[in-house]
Amino acid sequence: MSMLTPPGMGGKYRITGDKYPRMRRPRHRRRIVLAAVAAVVALGLAGWGTLQLIDVFTGKGKNTTAGRTPDCDPSSAPAKALPKPGQITVNVYNATPRGGLAQSTADELKKRGFVIGKVGNAPAPYDKKVPGPGILLGATTAMDGPFSVLGTQLTGATPKTDARQTPDVDLIIGMAFQTLTVQKDADLALATLAQPVSDPACAETGAPETGAPVAGTPETGAPEKH
């Protein structure tokens, strides 16, 4: 055995003067290198994902615009279906001490295309008991259209429902009544009612909505005998 041979190593590991044993690298080093590369890649992907989230929550994404969400479509909502004046029968009643108001108001509404039903003095529960410009009285189904259309003809009229089953509506003239809304203003209000309603998604971002103001706050009442 050569003096260069470590104790306990003989055979093929014996070192002679012109030959040295070839030692293999440990295989676990390759695994360590691969694991390190995988860790670097994973950290890079995590960092990229974090930047994307920051862009989303700070509003820097490329798919958003100021004041409007991607789902906002102002023209997506259809126009509201409303009855035409010629499809609405109006009974006109005078609840004031001034004579002739019911007939003159009925005549003007007829000129504007409404169908006129009964005309006369208001029933006892309303006679001289309507302090405002007037009351729109009808079935609950009238809230879906007839009240909105007729309400454009008298600013400040208060909608109120009763238990009738017929489609006609009453216009009860109140103590504060002066005259019907000027026709050109009433026509403009009707045109505004017929415009499409804005998409709710646009309303949430502050986009303007179209529509006419409601004539008044709806009330409910007991059945009346007419």
Side-chain angles (χ1 to χ4, degrees):
M1 181 180 295
S2 172
M3 294 180 62
L4 298 176
T5 303
M9 298 184 63
K12 65 180 180 178
Y13 295 106
R14 189 177 66 175
I15 301 175
T16 61
D18 59 353
K19 185 179 180 181
Y20 296 89
R22 179 174 295 180
M23 306 294 287
R24 292 184 178 179
R25 288 185 178 181
R27 294 184 178 179
H28 62 274
R29 179 177 294 181
R30 184 180 301 173
R31 296 178 181 175
I32 294 175
V33 173
L34 292 176
V37 172
V40 171
V41 173
L43 288 174
L45 291 175
W48 180 82
T50 301
L51 290 176
Q52 296 302 310
L53 288 175
I54 291 174
D55 286 344
V56 170
F57 287 106
T58 56
K60 296 180 180 179
K62 295 181 180 180
N63 294 329
T64 59
T65 56
R68 178 177 174 181
T69 63
D71 294 332
C72 173
D73 185 2
S75 62
S76 63
K80 184 177 180 181
L82 293 172
K84 297 183 181 300
Q87 298 173 311
I88 303 174
T89 298
V90 185
N91 305 313
V92 185
Y93 298 111
N94 183 10
T96 76
R98 292 175 287 170
L101 280 183
Q103 188 61 59
S104 61
T105 301
D107 292 342
E108 181 61 28
L109 287 174
K110 186 176 182 179
K111 292 179 183 178
R112 299 185 184 188
F114 291 88
V115 178
I116 302 301
K118 299 176 182 179
V119 179
N121 294 325
Y126 295 100
D127 190 25
K128 301 180 182 63
K129 297 177 183 177
V130 181
I135 290 177
L136 306 181
L137 184 65
T140 54
T141 54
M143 296 295 297
D144 296 333
F147 279 177
S148 297
V149 175
L150 184 57
T152 61
Q153 309 302 309
L154 180 57
T155 303
T158 301
K160 186 176 180 180
T161 60
D162 58 16
R164 76 180 68 186
Q165 301 297 319
T166 55
D168 61 312
V169 295
D170 299 344
L171 171 58
I172 303 176
I173 300 172
M175 303 294 288
F177 177 86
Q178 296 296 327
T179 184
L180 292 175
T181 304
V182 177
Q183 185 169 359
K184 65 177 182 178
D185 295 335
D187 292 343
L188 178 61
L190 278 174
T192 303
L193 279 175
Q195 290 179 2
V197 179
S198 297
D199 191 324
C202 300
E204 293 176 0
T205 60
E209 294 187 1
T210 59
V214 179
T217 303
E219 301 176 359
T220 57
E224 302 291 347
K225 296 181 180 179
H226 300 297

